[in-house]
Amino acid sequence: MPLASEVRRPSLLPPRKGVFDSFLVLYAPLWHPQLSVSPFTSLNPGTQHSCTVTGATWGPTGRAFDGVDDLINPGRPASLLITGDLSILCWVKVNNLTANQIIIGQHSAAGYTGLYALMVRVTTGKIFFYRGNGVNAEVSVNGNVSLVAGTYYHLALTVSGVTVRSYVDAVLDMDGNHGAVTVTDAGTDIRIGYPKYLSEGLNGTLGEVWLYNRLLSIGEIQQTYQATKWRYI
């Protein structure tokens, strides 16, 4: 019989389903009990991040945001300050479509986007992505699929140069470009669920968030969707 100190105990880390590589700079499976505290530590490979939670009640399918002031703040570590290619994936359910709802992004005191921002649009429920210089210029692109309130979706957004593609449940939603802008760090924190200077908080539940500093292929997006959908649908 092994000594007590030799008994293998189950890991608290979630199974690594989906694409885990050195380009995954933020992974937050918000449903996991290890992330039910504040602050919690992200579970991406490499340098992990301390994330402070305001409100955003924990549950077995993620964190519930009230649309008023709930947020998760990973700060502004260098690995999240992405000016080039990126991919954002998440599982999200919005409760209503009465306002724009931020999933993750950076905004300046002037209200302009800095490095990146992903949201669900008011009324239409379409994916909306934008980047800017944090001062006086933004470029943006809209998806085509209208999300339905009260339903979980796997959303994915990839950017390479000015080419932007969005996916809903691992199916291509939009293939376009966001125009030219000098993408600039606005000097503020990256925030999940609520922008610092705009009243566009998420009213719904966020199950998981992935942020990569590279372009993911549709095959990789489908891999992540297939590996994680059982929890939400």
Side-chain angles (χ1 to χ4, degrees):
M1 179 178 294
L3 298 175
S5 60
E6 296 174 338
V7 174
R8 296 176 64 85
R9 294 180 173 83
S11 172
L12 289 177
L13 296 177
R16 291 193 167 191
K17 295 181 178 179
V19 179
F20 276 73
D21 59 24
S22 61
F23 298 95
L24 177 57
V25 294
L26 176 68
Y27 175 51
L30 299 175
W31 52 265
H32 197 274
Q34 188 170 328
L35 277 66
S36 65
V37 297
S38 179
F40 66 77
T41 301
S42 65
L43 298 179
N44 49 279
T47 303
Q48 298 173 332
H49 314 295
S50 178
C51 302
T52 302
V53 181
T54 301
T57 306
W58 181 85
T61 56
R63 292 267 187 178
F65 294 74
D66 66 1
V68 179
D69 55 7
D70 287 0
L71 65 97
I72 297 173
N73 187 348
R76 42 179 291 104
S79 62
L80 304 189
L81 304 181
I82 304 169
T83 59
D85 293 1
L86 61 80
S87 299
I88 303 169
L89 285 67
C90 69
W91 277 101
V92 65
K93 176 184 70 174
V94 295
N95 293 333
N96 58 59
L97 297 169
T98 58
N100 292 328
Q101 300 187 46
I102 288 286
I103 295 171
I104 184 170
Q106 184 198 51
H107 295 84
S108 70
Y112 283 90
T113 309
L115 298 169
Y116 49 85
L118 175 64
M119 70 158 53
V120 176
R121 273 294 221 184
V122 60
T123 307
T124 66
K126 296 179 180 180
I127 293 174
F128 185 61
F129 175 77
Y130 47 118
R131 308 186 91 168
N133 64 10
V135 179
N136 57 13
E138 292 178 334
V139 290
S140 62
V141 63
N142 283 284
N144 295 307
V145 174
S146 294
L147 308 185
V148 176
T151 301
Y152 275 103
Y153 293 95
H154 182 268
L155 306 183
L157 189 290
T158 67
V159 182
S160 181
V162 298
T163 301
V164 183
R165 295 184 178 94
S166 63
Y167 303 81
V168 177
D169 290 342
V171 176
L172 182 65
D173 166 46
M174 174 273 299
D175 186 346
N177 70 78
H178 63 44
V181 70
T182 301
V183 179
T184 307
D185 177 12
T188 55
D189 294 343
I190 305 298
R191 288 186 163 207
I192 297 170
Y194 187 78
K196 187 169 185 178
Y197 297 104
L198 299 172
S199 298
E200 296 179 335
L202 174 64
N203 186 336
T205 303
L206 195 56
E208 299 180 57
V209 180
W210 298 257
L211 174 63
Y212 299 81
N213 62 3
R214 71 169 177 90
L215 174 73
L216 263 62
S217 69
I218 186 171
E220 291 172 317
I221 291 168
Q222 291 170 339
Q223 176 185 345
T224 300
Y225 170 74
Q226 292 295 337
T228 56
K229 67 178 183 178
W230 64 270
R231 184 176 298 277
Y232 305 99
I233 59 177

